[in-house]
């Protein structure tokens, strides 16, 4: 979609890194035969994987990730030293090593079918090596398991869930990406304040009477006429801070263990994307505020909608809300900053019967979707990946005279979470 900028020494570094991985893999695979064999294996592995990387990078076209065969070779090489360490530390046999390796690589696939496939492939590979007269070493089992799993997975699951969209391009070439990253390891509720120190302009914490969008008229398009929106829905979007939100999360049972692990290891240490696990947590209350940055000269106001638990101010979501137009349509892009990167949800507005508004990423158009983008700290160039396996839809409407919303999420086409919102107008201050 976008042209690649000259990479300079980047390709040389990539080949060097691959050679180092290949060297470690070769040493691990041949190490059980002695030190001399390990040295020879390291040399062969470094030359082999370095060559694979060089060929793959030479054939790589703009907007593409390296060829699948190269990625499979690299993942197999990475597994070898890990298998060596597991064998030395635990003394586990081929079946245990294969099953553990398959479970780990399957979990990295995320898709439920891939998660289930991993341990099955690992156990089969381990069993195949175990029945031999001389069982294979742990690095061989681990590497073979990863390669077998990746090949079988590629044959069974042909639809890509992640693809490279653009590499080292200017932000204006990707209008559906919010190019604002976190410059520290922790995002937190003070993100917009710290961002203002970088961007300049006038910072307002908990700005009064503002919305996540300036006007719904910016979203006009063939599928959405702002004039038909219920005034209460319009008011919520254009004056979000006039409302409080109650939230009821509905998680699918199968995703809860994985989400609990994610929240403990990733979301809370990061200070970003930590949704309540259950209704009991939601009863702690949700505090919502919008921090803004107004440019000193003409420009777009930065709007950061920050939601946190009311009792501790622990972050739930920190999102930067923007709108833009393309080919006669308006879109909403929400950027969730993470260290040196941004996860963007670009949503298409659609009319809902009864004056409601639906924002959805489920569309055949080119822009709606989810994008993980790395922002180069020096050049501000973007490298973006499209995350096809993730989808969401927000449905805001009036029900029984009150504002309601359902925020549904899918992964690989399987629903896993619905957030039910109730929006209530805040009590007016005395004398207002």
């Amino acid at each position: 979609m976008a042209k690649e900028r000259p990479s300079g020494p980047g390709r040389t570094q990539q080949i060097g890194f691959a050679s180092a991985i290949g060297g470690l893999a070769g040493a691990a695979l041949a190490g059980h035969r002695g030190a001399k064999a390990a040295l020879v294996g390291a040399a062969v592995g470094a030359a082999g994987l370095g060559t694979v990387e060089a060929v793959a990078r030479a054939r790589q076209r703009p907007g593409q990730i390296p060829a699948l065969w190269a990625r499979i070779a690299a993942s197999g090489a990475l597994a070898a030293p890990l298998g060596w360490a597991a064998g030395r530390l635990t003394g586990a046999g081929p079946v245990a090593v294969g099953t553990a390796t398959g479970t780990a690589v399957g979990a990295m696939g995320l898709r439920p079918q891939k998660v289930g496939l991993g341990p099955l492939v690992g156990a089969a590979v381990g069993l195949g090596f175990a029945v031999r007269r001389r069982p294979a070493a742990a690095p061989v089992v681990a590497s073979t398991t990863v390669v077998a799993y990746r090949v079988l997975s590629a044959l069974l699951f042909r639809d890509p869930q992640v693809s490279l969209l653009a590499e080292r391009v200017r932000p204006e070439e990707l209008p559906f990406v919010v190019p604002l990253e976190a410059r520290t390891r922790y995002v937190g509720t003070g993100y917009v304040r710290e961002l203002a120190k970088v961007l300049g302009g006038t910072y307002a914490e908990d700005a009064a009477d503002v919305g996540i969008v300036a006007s719904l008229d910016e979203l006009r398009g063939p599928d959405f006429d702002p004039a038909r929106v219920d005034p209460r829905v319009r008011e919520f979007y254009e004056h979000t801070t006039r409302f409080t939100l109650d939230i009821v999360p509905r998680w699918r049972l199968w995703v809860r263990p994985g989400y609990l692990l994610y929240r403990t290891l990733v979301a809370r240490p990061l200070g970003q994307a930590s949704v309540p696990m259950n209704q009991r947590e939601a009863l702690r209350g949700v505090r919502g505020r919008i921090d803004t940055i107004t440019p000193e000269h003409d420009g777009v106001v930065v709007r950061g909608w920050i939601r946190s638990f009311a009792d501790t101010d622990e972050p739930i979501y920190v999102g930067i809300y923007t709108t833009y137009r393309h080919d006669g349509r308006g879109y909403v892009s929400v950027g969730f900053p993470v260290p040196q990167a941004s996860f963007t949800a670009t949503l298409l507005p659609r009319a809902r019967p009864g004056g409601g508004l639906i924002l959805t990423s489920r569309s055949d158009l080119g822009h709606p979707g989810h994008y993980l983008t790395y922002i180069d700290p020096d050049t501000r160039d973007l490298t973006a990946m499209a995350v096809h396996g993730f989808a969401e839809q927000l449905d805001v409407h009036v029900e029984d005279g009150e504002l309601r919303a359902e925020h549904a999420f899918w992964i690989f086409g399987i629903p896993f979470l619905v957030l039910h919102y109730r929006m209530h107008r805040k009590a007016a201050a005395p004398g207002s």
Side-chain angles (χ1 to χ4, degrees):
M1 180 171 181
K3 294 183 178 180
E4 179 183 4
R5 293 179 176 272
S7 59
R11 182 161 296 174
T12 301
Q13 293 172 355
Q14 292 163 346
I15 295 172
F17 182 67
S19 297
I21 295 174
L24 288 174
L29 291 170
H32 64 284
R33 297 179 179 177
K36 185 176 180 179
L39 289 174
V40 174
V44 173
L49 196 61
T51 301
V52 167
E53 182 71 14
V55 173
R57 292 292 175 178
R59 299 180 62 181
Q60 180 183 359
R61 296 180 179 180
Q64 292 182 339
I65 58 178
L68 176 62
W69 52 269
R71 304 201 310 272
I72 291 176
S75 60
L78 281 169
L82 297 177
W84 175 86
R88 291 294 297 269
L89 293 174
T90 67
V95 176
V97 171
T99 303
T101 303
T103 300
V105 72
M108 293 173 64
L110 296 180
R111 189 190 304 205
Q113 300 93 319
K114 288 188 174 183
V115 173
L117 179 66
L120 295 178
V121 172
V125 170
L127 185 61
F129 280 117
V131 298
R132 297 175 57 189
R133 181 175 299 179
R134 186 176 180 181
V140 176
V141 177
S143 185
T144 304
T145 297
V146 170
V147 171
Y149 169 82
R150 293 292 307 273
V151 171
L152 186 58
S153 180
L155 293 173
L156 294 177
F157 309 108
R158 293 182 174 274
D159 53 321
Q161 299 302 306
V162 178
S163 64
L164 181 63
L165 186 67
E167 189 171 11
R168 290 183 289 276
V169 300
R170 302 304 303 164
E172 53 267 23
E173 296 183 53
L174 302 179
F176 43 83
V177 166
V178 179
L180 295 175
E181 75 279 29
R183 291 166 172 81
T184 60
R185 294 183 180 180
Y186 187 79
V187 181
T189 58
Y191 169 77
V192 180
R193 179 179 62 249
E194 297 302 315
L195 180 64
K197 297 177 183 178
V198 177
L199 300 182
T202 303
Y203 167 67
E205 180 177 351
D206 198 3
D209 201 24
V210 296
I212 53 178
V213 301
S215 172
L216 284 188
D217 294 334
E218 298 172 355
L219 305 182
R220 184 183 305 277
D223 301 316
F224 177 64
D225 181 2
R228 298 190 176 187
V229 173
D230 188 289
R232 289 162 290 189
V233 174
R234 175 185 281 268
E235 183 182 17
F236 171 73
Y237 275 98
E238 297 178 350
H239 303 276
T240 312
T241 56
R242 294 179 183 177
F243 298 85
T244 61
L245 279 74
D246 293 333
I247 180 174
V248 178
R250 302 294 186 194
W251 291 90
R252 294 295 179 100
L253 290 176
W254 64 269
V255 80
R256 289 186 179 185
Y259 175 71
L260 182 60
L261 184 64
Y262 154 80
R263 190 175 67 165
T264 302
L265 298 180
V266 179
R268 282 179 168 169
L270 184 61
Q272 175 67 291
S274 181
V275 178
M277 187 70 185
N278 48 46
Q279 181 62 14
R280 179 176 58 83
E281 282 193 344
L283 289 176
R284 294 166 57 186
V286 176
R287 181 197 176 199
R289 76 174 200 254
I290 296 179
D291 291 1
T292 61
I293 304 174
T294 304
E296 294 179 356
H297 306 290
D298 291 341
V300 178
V301 175
V302 175
R303 302 165 186 264
W305 194 14
I306 301 167
R307 281 152 287 180
S308 59
F309 288 106
D311 54 352
T312 63
D313 204 34
E314 176 188 347
I316 297 175
Y317 273 120
V318 180
I320 305 299
Y321 284 71
T322 66
T323 60
Y324 73 96
R325 296 191 62 78
H326 177 76
D327 285 347
R329 298 177 185 269
Y331 296 90
V332 175
S333 285
V334 188
F336 299 97
V338 294
Q340 213 53 61
S342 173
F343 183 76
T344 301
T346 293
L347 309 175
L348 172 71
R350 286 177 177 164
R352 185 188 193 276
L357 169 58
I358 292 174
L359 296 176
T360 182
S361 67
R362 308 182 87 183
S363 169
D364 294 330
L365 297 174
H367 284 201
H370 294 82
Y371 309 95
L372 181 61
T373 306
Y374 167 76
I375 299 101
D376 188 291
D378 299 319
T379 66
R380 306 304 299 168
D381 287 348
L382 308 181
T383 297
M385 301 186 73
V387 185
H388 306 289
F390 195 84
E392 66 178 289
Q393 181 167 294
L394 176 62
D395 179 358
V396 179
H397 57 278
V398 176
E399 182 178 320
D400 297 330
E402 293 185 339
L403 275 170
R404 298 285 187 269
E406 286 79 44
H407 200 169
F409 299 85
W410 294 262
I411 186 167
F412 312 120
I414 303 173
F416 70 93
L417 170 65
V418 179
L419 299 175
H420 298 270
Y421 289 103
R422 291 188 174 210
M423 290 82 93
H424 307 282
R425 188 184 298 276
K426 296 177 180 177
S432 64

